[in-house]
Amino acid sequence: MPSKDSPLPSFMQWEELHSLVGSISTRSLVARPKTLPQCQEALAWCRDNGMTICARGAGRGYGDLALNDGHALLDMSGMNRILDFDEERARITVEAGTRLIDIYEHVHHLLLTLPGSPTESHSSVAGAICANVNGKDGWHYGNFSQRVIRMTLLRADGETVEVDRDHELFNAIMGGIGLLGIVIDATLQLVPIKSNFVKILRTPAADTDALLALLDELKDDHDAAVVWIDAYGKGKRLGRSVVHTAQWVDREDTEEERREFLDAGFRRLEHHRRFGLALHEKFGPVLSFMLNAQRPALYLFNRFYYTMSRLASWTGRNTTSELFLRFNFEASFTVPPAHLVCGPHGYTVQLNFPKHGAKEAIDEILTICQSSPCPPVTTILRAHQADEGLLSFSKNGYSLNFEFHPKKRHEERSREAVNRIIDATVKRGGRIHLAKDQVLTPEQFHRVYPRYNELLLIKKRLDPNGLFISDLARRVGIDPVLNAKVGDPA
Ligand SMILES: Cc1cc2nc3c(=O)[nH]c(=O)nc-3n(C[C@H](O)[C@H](O)[C@H](O)COP(=O)(O)OP(=O)(O)OC[C@H]3O[C@@H](n4cnc5c(N)ncnc54)[C@H](O)[C@@H]3O)c2cc1C
């Protein structure tokens, strides 16, 4: 065990880190362990030197949930080995930092998929567990937590514990933003599929009623859904949208053919990630310029997109068959990244509300957005199932995901509108997704997540000195006692 004067482990150093949206900058002592003993060494060093620690996966959460300004970060991306694959039972055991795309590369040609995978394919398994992320297939498969069979958790005292679905810690760790310990590895249940292709149907809906009726009608036959909403549509156009649904397709491809399709699919994703993102950076200033005239620019763009979708639907050109990889993951690179869409003063907000009363919720929230000087730049709706996570984001219902790009002079009024949409969500028993959050205040957090007290009780027992914390946890007042910062000696 290191003593008070113990030297810094060689795999720890001070680094600058930024939130994905870009508006939060921090400096942390970053550890990049490759093994469990190195994780234990980092924890012991932090305990002995009065530092708190926050686990970080791929750092693909939008806000400050994987940041820990002035304290330590345990970057788990180097612990990324596939430990076991049981093809017969469709189960895979991986280290915490394994990316979801790595799992797809390992199993997808065997006609297996991992439901609950978010659009960001580079998210790590532990990041997906601790933020309890959701995929486009949430209406049938629920959140990522539904895939988890067991995990190894490293506790604050340096001991490990096995946690399966019956363990009392299970629902506290799912979506528990890493406050109870470090996930070291996990076993996930995969699901068989008919082929690697999905048939996509793009159907326009004239308003909120039509949108919800369409989702009900398509749900039984379609495996996944994601809805683009025109947040600028008013009056009888409120909730005007285009519903994208996907169904697995029956095909007779040989394993060799599947490998060929998929190799090309993975290469395409990598190509888009590298060149798509670089291109967006290059044209970032053009996007910023357009977003200066946000209202007219988006009003016209949305009108154009909706009209084109209607035309495609009328002419029967609204279905395509494509690799699931493309449907599920490619939007991460074709849509400009959040720091460009949101700009220097912006943020994302994803809020979930129950199915009962969904029409009123959608209409009220969109109307509030329209009263803001800066309505959302993008608005996406998804369908979800509830689960038992203590900080679980989703109810059995729908979520709206917004990207806001307020100008400096509108920051305050834009924030007021965001507070009102949070109120409208909470009054319906809804939730705010912590993986996308950088705005919740302690008062709002306590209203959104009343069960956080149950998590705190467990935390007090497992981690009485508050070793595990993050900037998000401090911001929402999860444990104000831990707010004091230890200075950066550099
Ligand atoms: C383009 C894009 C699209 C996205 N689409 C979706 C989407 O469709 N659905 C969705 O739900 N989210 C989505 N997200 C958000 C993202 O998928 C989640 O935030 C996910 O948690 C990121 O994984 P990560 O490995 O980067 O985790 P990080 O951001 O690094 O960490 C997330 C949380 O997990 C904790 N954590 C990480 N590793 C460990 C560990 N080993 N032990 C304990 N705690 C740990 C961290 O402390 C933090 O609280 C998207 C993000 C981007 C950038």
Side-chain angles (χ1 to χ4, degrees), residues 168-218:
E168 55 140 358
L169 292 181
F170 188 85
N171 287 322
I173 297 170
M174 294 300 132
I177 54 170
L179 291 177
L180 297 182
I182 309 295
V183 175
I184 298 296
D185 58 52
T187 303
L188 307 172
Q189 181 68 59
L190 306 164
V191 167
I193 44 176
K194 298 181 202 167
S195 75
N196 301 109
F197 286 81
V198 281
K199 185 173 154 199
I200 317 283
L201 175 68
R202 296 177 185 84
T203 320
D207 57 22
T208 311
D209 280 325
L211 159 64
L212 294 175
L214 195 58
L215 285 172
D216 276 346
E217 182 190 320
L218 295 175

Side-chain angles (χ1 to χ4, degrees), residues 331-407:
S332 304
F333 329 123
T334 45
V335 177
H339 68 276
L340 295 179
V341 176
C342 297
H345 313 290
Y347 36 79
T348 57
V349 179
Q350 186 175 5
L351 39 88
N352 173 275
F353 41 85
K355 191 165 180 189
H356 175 74
K359 176 187 155 46
E360 292 70 26
I362 295 170
D363 285 353
E364 182 178 356
I365 291 167
L366 289 179
T367 307
I368 296 171
C369 285
Q370 290 170 0
S371 73
S372 161
C374 309
V377 179
T378 64
T379 304
I380 300 293
L381 179 135
R382 280 189 186 183
H384 301 265
Q385 277 180 16
D387 65 36
E388 292 300 310
L390 295 183
L391 296 191
S392 193
F393 153 70
S394 71
K395 296 265 174 168
N396 192 5
Y398 301 103
S399 72
L400 283 167
N401 187 91
F402 297 116
E403 288 178 304
F404 290 102
H405 183 113
K407 298 183 188 95

